[in-house]
């Protein structure tokens, strides 16, 4: 049997932590659409005040030289179906308009998590916040650090802003 790739291991570890941290989170039972696969998307539920469905979508890089890199996207829709707004305009997230948002729209900067060592000489280095572990030596520690950073980023830049953190949701990830 082939060894699980680090990105798949990260998704499994995120799911394990997310179930404990965010009581309303659910896995999708089928792909939402081609841009929102079942394997790396999570349903946060219907926002109690906005009446909108919210999904977190992990987007793995499709570049062969960026294996193990991923970003996060957010899908917001009034109906539990894919939005037609896959290219929202600037400022629409602040109004919680239905849309498929790249995380920079949400937290104000682009951020990619790098689970494998990658080139540090990217021409986009100054425009993108690249998360890297303290060391690439131990895979379990890389995954644990990545889950912790993703949860903290989601909480401080997104979940808290939408009022989706509940008492007790400030636990440290496992």
């Amino acid at each position: 049997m082939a060894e699980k790739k680090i990105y798949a291991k990260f998704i499994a570890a995120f799911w394990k932590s997310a179930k404990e941290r965010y009581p309303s989170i659910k896995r999708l039972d089928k792909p939402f659409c081609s841009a929102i696969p079942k394997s790396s998307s999570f349903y946060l539920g219907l926002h109690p005040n906005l009446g909108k469905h919210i999904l977190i979508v992990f987007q793995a890089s499709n570049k062969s030289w960026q294996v193990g890199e991923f970003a996060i996207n957010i899908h917001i829709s009034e109906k539990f179906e894919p939005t037609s707004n896959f290219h929202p305009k600037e400022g629409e997230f602040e109004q919680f308009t239905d849309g498929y948002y790249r995380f920079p729209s949400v937290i104000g900067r682009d951020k990619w998590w790098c689970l494998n060592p990658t080139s540090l000489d990217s021409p986009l280095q100054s425009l993108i916040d690249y998360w890297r572990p303290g060391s690439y030596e131990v895979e379990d520690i890389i995954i644990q650090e990545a889950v912790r950073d993703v949860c903290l980023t989601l909480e401080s830049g997104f979940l808290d802003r939408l009022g989706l953190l509940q008492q007790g949701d400030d636990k440290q990830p496992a």
Side-chain angles (χ1 to χ4, degrees), residues 153-172:
T153 301
L154 284 170
E155 289 165 11
S156 65
F158 174 63
L159 298 173
D160 186 47
R161 193 167 156 193
L162 283 178
L164 292 173
L165 283 181
Q166 301 172 355
Q167 290 271 335
D169 279 356
D170 56 354
K171 298 179 269 183
Q172 284 296 314

Side-chain angles (χ1 to χ4, degrees), residues 141-154:
I141 294 173
I142 295 167
I143 292 168
Q144 184 180 50
E145 288 179 10
V147 167
R148 182 178 301 114
D149 191 75
V150 163
C151 289
L152 292 175
T153 301
L154 284 170

Side-chain angles (χ1 to χ4, degrees), residues 8-121:
K9 290 178 183 178
F10 163 79
I11 292 294
F14 173 78
W15 172 237
K16 182 179 178 185
S17 179
K19 287 188 299 185
E20 295 174 9
R21 294 177 70 84
Y22 319 120
S24 67
I25 199 166
K26 294 181 178 23
R27 296 288 311 244
L28 297 178
D29 58 358
K30 61 183 179 182
F32 201 62
C33 66
S34 61
I36 303 176
K38 163 185 161 176
S39 62
S40 58
S41 303
F42 302 89
Y43 178 60
L44 286 176
L46 185 64
H47 190 283
N49 299 328
L50 300 173
K52 299 208 177 194
H53 300 274
I54 302 173
L55 289 97
I56 299 170
V57 183
F58 289 90
Q59 173 193 336
S61 174
N62 60 2
K63 310 256 187 305
S64 61
W65 61 90
Q66 293 175 327
V67 172
E69 290 188 21
F70 66 89
I72 300 173
N73 299 313
I74 305 297
H75 180 278
I76 298 174
S77 59
E78 193 169 319
K79 296 179 181 174
F80 188 66
E81 59 188 39
T83 180
S84 60
N85 188 12
F86 268 76
H87 302 286
K89 294 179 178 84
E90 190 173 326
E92 286 189 320
F93 178 78
E94 284 75 26
Q95 299 169 21
F96 305 112
T97 302
D98 286 15
Y100 186 72
Y101 297 93
R102 292 274 298 129
F103 216 45
S105 303
V106 179
I107 64 171
R109 68 190 189 287
D110 202 0
K111 184 169 184 174
W112 284 79
W113 285 262
C114 304
L115 301 174
N116 287 319
T118 56
S119 171
L120 298 176
D121 299 326

